[in-house]
Coordinates of all heavy atoms in Angstrom, one line a residue:
E51 N 8.0 215.3 -56.1 CA 8.8 214.6 -57.0 C 9.1 213.2 -56.6 O 9.4 212.3 -57.4 CB 10.2 215.3 -57.2 CG 10.0 216.7 -57.7 CD 11.3 217.6 -57.6 OE1 12.3 217.1 -57.1 OE2 11.3 218.7 -58.0
A52 N 9.0 212.9 -55.3 CA 9.4 211.5 -54.8 C 8.2 210.6 -55.2 O 7.1 210.9 -55.3 CB 9.6 211.5 -53.3
P53 N 8.6 209.3 -55.5 CA 7.5 208.3 -55.8 C 6.7 208.0 -54.6 O 7.1 208.2 -53.4 CB 8.3 207.1 -56.2 CG 9.6 207.2 -55.5 CD 9.9 208.7 -55.5
V54 N 5.4 207.7 -54.8 CA 4.5 207.3 -53.7 C 4.7 205.9 -53.3 O 4.8 205.0 -54.1 CB 3.0 207.6 -54.1 CG1 2.1 207.2 -53.0 CG2 2.8 209.0 -54.5
V55 N 4.8 205.6 -52.0 CA 4.9 204.3 -51.5 C 3.8 204.0 -50.5 O 3.8 204.6 -49.4 CB 6.3 204.0 -50.8 CG1 6.4 202.6 -50.2 CG2 7.4 204.3 -51.8
I56 N 2.8 203.2 -50.8 CA 1.8 202.8 -49.9 C 1.9 201.3 -49.7 O 1.7 200.5 -50.6 CB 0.4 203.2 -50.4 CG1 0.3 204.7 -50.7 CG2 -0.7 202.8 -49.4 CD1 -1.0 205.2 -51.2
A57 N 2.3 200.9 -48.5 CA 2.7 199.5 -48.2 C 1.6 198.5 -48.2 O 1.7 197.4 -48.7 CB 3.5 199.5 -46.9
G58 N 0.4 198.9 -47.6 CA -0.6 197.9 -47.5 C -1.9 198.4 -47.0 O -2.1 199.7 -46.9
P59 N -2.9 197.6 -46.7 CA -4.2 198.0 -46.3 C -4.3 199.0 -45.1 O -5.0 199.9 -45.1 CB -4.9 196.7 -45.9 CG -4.2 195.6 -46.7 CD -2.7 196.1 -46.7
M60 N -3.4 198.7 -44.1 CA -3.5 199.6 -42.9 C -3.0 201.0 -43.3 O -3.7 202.0 -42.9 CB -2.5 199.1 -41.8 CG -2.4 200.0 -40.6 SD -4.0 200.4 -39.8 CE -4.2 198.8 -38.9
E61 N -2.0 201.2 -44.1 CA -1.5 202.5 -44.5 C -2.5 203.2 -45.4 O -2.7 204.4 -45.3 CB -0.1 202.3 -45.2 CG 1.0 201.9 -44.4 CD 1.1 200.4 -44.2 OE1 0.2 199.7 -44.6 OE2 2.0 199.9 -43.5
K62 N -3.2 202.4 -46.3 CA -4.2 203.0 -47.1 C -5.4 203.5 -46.3 O -6.0 204.5 -46.5 CB -4.7 202.0 -48.1 CG -3.7 201.7 -49.2 CD -4.2 200.6 -50.2 CE -3.1 200.3 -51.2 NZ -3.5 199.2 -52.1
N63 N -5.7 202.7 -45.2 CA -6.8 203.1 -44.3 C -6.4 204.4 -43.6 O -7.3 205.4 -43.5 CB -7.0 202.0 -43.3 CG -8.3 202.1 -42.5 OD1 -9.0 203.1 -42.7 ND2 -8.5 201.2 -41.6

Side-chain angles (χ1 to χ4, degrees):
E51 298 168 0
V54 177
V55 176
I56 302 179
M60 176 61 77
E61 292 83 356
K62 290 178 182 176
N63 193 358

